[in-house]
Amino acid sequence: MITFQDATEHDAEAICALNDAVVDVTSPMDTSRFKHLLGLSNPCIVAEKDAEVIGFVLAMQIGAGYENDNFNWFAARLNNFVYIDRIVIGAAGQRQGLGVKLYEAVAEAARAQGCLVMCAEMDVDPPNEKSLAFHEKSGFVPLGTRTYDTGKVVSMQIKGL
């Protein structure tokens, strides 16, 4: 049985290991960085199976004090939003609808706090096909794009809550 709950500092190693497995499409996060982000997050939710973390979502709301260029891009354009910093589903959680369930949990928490929009970015050059398909199926629509100094391009997308 899969359960969902708020992440704690005790989940740091498992969350960082999941993140490391896909760091090419997220960003690096050691336990110190996770603990810092956990303090800013609202919410950070883990999916567990047999007491093992198999997925997580880390989200920030406007006013979190999060220093991140993508978050700031949305903050310059929107009010009352929740930003998906990262969502990672490990191999043990694939193809079980965990991404949808984690996003639903974020949406529920965000709506309860007055958020109107969920925001996320996904790689379009080079493309992260799984993320693009998931977000399109979930009802996200492009708001714009950003090009990083490295040449990587991301699609900045939103979904009404």
Side-chain angles (χ1 to χ4, degrees), residues 24-75:
D24 57 320
V25 292
T26 61
S27 58
M29 183 172 66
D30 61 15
T31 57
S32 175
R33 177 77 174 149
F34 168 72
K35 289 176 182 178
H36 172 73
L37 294 177
L38 180 64
L40 299 175
S41 70
N42 188 7
C44 182
I45 301 168
V46 294
E48 290 186 347
K49 183 176 184 179
D50 300 326
E52 177 187 344
V53 175
I54 60 172
F56 73 94
V57 62
L58 180 64
M60 311 289 181
Q61 291 185 21
I62 193 160
Y66 185 35
E67 292 302 319
N68 174 281
D69 289 342
N70 290 326
F71 179 85
N72 291 335
W73 188 94
F74 285 116

Side-chain angles (χ1 to χ4, degrees), residues 23-28 66 68-74 83-86 120-126 128 144-157:
V23 74
D24 57 320
V25 292
T26 61
S27 58
Y66 185 35
N68 174 281
D69 289 342
N70 290 326
F71 179 85
N72 291 335
W73 188 94
F74 285 116
Y83 168 74
I84 304 299
D85 182 70
R86 65 192 80 206
E121 81 277 346
M122 55 267 357
D123 297 354
V124 292
D125 187 15
N128 181 340
T145 59
R146 290 192 65 233
T147 302
Y148 298 169
D149 292 341
T150 62
K152 179 168 116 172
V153 179
V154 293
S155 177
M156 309 299 280
Q157 298 197 10

Side-chain angles (χ1 to χ4, degrees), residues 83-105:
Y83 168 74
I84 304 299
D85 182 70
R86 65 192 80 206
I87 181 169
V88 178
I89 310 297
Q94 295 288 318
R95 303 279 185 237
Q96 297 179 52
L98 294 185
V100 170
K101 291 176 183 171
L102 287 167
Y103 268 27
E104 286 173 355

Side-chain angles (χ1 to χ4, degrees), residues 99-147:
V100 170
K101 291 176 183 171
L102 287 167
Y103 268 27
E104 286 173 355
V106 169
E108 182 180 330
R111 277 191 299 269
Q113 296 178 30
C115 293
L116 305 174
V117 177
M118 185 181 294
C119 308
E121 81 277 346
M122 55 267 357
D123 297 354
V124 292
D125 187 15
N128 181 340
E129 298 294 345
K130 285 174 71 174
S131 181
L132 288 164
F134 171 78
H135 286 91
E136 181 178 1
K137 184 178 176 183
S138 297
F140 281 77
V141 295
L143 183 62
T145 59
R146 290 192 65 233
T147 302

